[in-house]
Amino acid sequence: MRNELKRRLRAGDRLYGAWLSLASPALAELLGCAGYDFLVVDNEHGAASLAQTADLLRAGAAVVCPVIVRVPWNDQVYLKRVLDLGAQSIMVPLVETAEEAAAAVAACRYPPDGRRGYAAPAMRCSRYGFESDYLAWANAELLLIAQIESATAAARAEAIAAVDGIDMVLIGVNDLAGSVGLLERLDRPEVAALVAQAEAGVRRAGKPLGTVPSAAAGTATLFARGYQLVAGAGDVPLLRDAARADIARVRAALAGDAPSPA
């Protein structure tokens, strides 16, 4: 199956997506229907099990919205299982070196290009064997995103991005700031300098950039700076903010109806 998200990135499209933390296929389906370019199943911080991740992939497919799975760690076993579930787009957090990036690539590719274990004919990735040519295109259709989230990685951004098989680098700005003791202090010049260092390295390697919006740079600013993929919204903040606004609206209306004090 062709990876539409990878095709759009190669075409230079600017893509805006949403995070999924609640393991709810219904919310995934709703956000896909809303028109986001992609969804990210967050298995690093979110609640979804592997079985629930499969359901989230199904929900995305049902509404033709590509799904990226962010794995918890650069773990060969976990990567293999997520790929066997049918994920074609993978995000790996906290990649610190070119060697770690190469290990992620190897874990996600079948031999001779990697060391991914083979059980495809019995797995969802091949539609349980109904796509008999899965092995012929699985490696080529993989979209693999490495996250740079520390000052150490920012200094090595070009080498990480240049690894064959790393398709994109996503800069995790908050963790990048946290690595130098400035978590949530994204307006500090030290943080801006680290982000600029990472950006420059990735651009020298010729790979596209992704990130999340923050107080330091909103979505429009990031796209103007050349980022191609921005994951800004999320099921939790969207629901939280809508609930807060609804409660405030009702309470304000009720306060307006209250009789004046004597």
Side-chain angles (χ1 to χ4, degrees), residues 16-43 48 51-69 124 233-236 238-239:
Y16 181 67
W19 296 87
L20 300 173
S21 299
L22 295 177
S24 168
L27 283 176
E29 191 176 36
L30 184 155
L31 293 174
C33 288
Y36 287 100
D37 292 311
F38 64 91
L39 303 172
V40 184
V41 176
D42 189 0
N43 282 359
Q52 290 169 320
T53 296
D55 288 338
L56 293 166
L57 289 167
R58 292 183 182 102
V63 293
V64 198
C65 183
V67 175
I68 300 167
V69 178
R124 183 177 180 272
D235 50 7
V236 170
L238 286 169
L239 184 58

Side-chain angles (χ1 to χ4, degrees), residues 57-147:
L57 289 167
R58 292 183 182 102
V63 293
V64 198
C65 183
V67 175
I68 300 167
V69 178
R70 177 161 74 173
V71 297
W73 190 246
N74 192 357
D75 176 359
Q76 177 181 353
V77 175
Y78 201 97
L79 285 164
K80 175 172 55 181
R81 296 190 71 186
V82 167
L83 288 163
D84 283 347
L85 286 178
Q88 285 187 296
S89 300
I90 303 287
M91 187 186 300
V92 180
L94 206 64
V95 176
E96 295 281 271
T97 66
E99 291 76 18
E100 290 180 5
V105 173
C108 292
R109 285 181 168 181
Y110 287 121
D113 301 322
R115 58 174 182 268
R116 178 183 170 189
Y118 186 65
M123 298 293 121
R124 183 177 180 272
C125 59
S126 69
R127 295 182 65 238
Y128 309 101
F130 287 104
E131 288 187 9
S132 57
D133 63 342
Y134 174 75
L135 184 60
W137 52 259
N139 287 356
E141 294 301 321
L142 171 70
L143 173 66
L144 187 57
I145 303 169
Q147 284 192 257

Side-chain angles (χ1 to χ4, degrees), residues 180-198:
V180 292
L182 295 171
L183 190 64
E184 290 194 339
R185 299 169 72 184
L186 305 184
D187 57 338
R188 290 286 294 267
E190 301 97 311
V191 177
L194 284 173
V195 172
Q197 181 183 33

Side-chain angles (χ1 to χ4, degrees), residues 94-98 100 146-162 169-180 189-205 209 227:
L94 206 64
V95 176
E96 295 281 271
T97 66
E100 290 180 5
Q147 284 192 257
I148 284 179
E149 302 182 89
S150 73
T152 298
R156 300 167 176 165
E158 183 175 3
I160 291 168
V169 171
L170 187 139
I171 299 174
V173 183
N174 265 306
D175 285 321
L176 188 63
S179 74
V180 292
E190 301 97 311
V191 177
L194 284 173
V195 172
Q197 181 183 33
E199 290 174 345
V202 175
R203 289 191 175 110
R204 285 194 299 270
L209 278 162
Y227 283 84

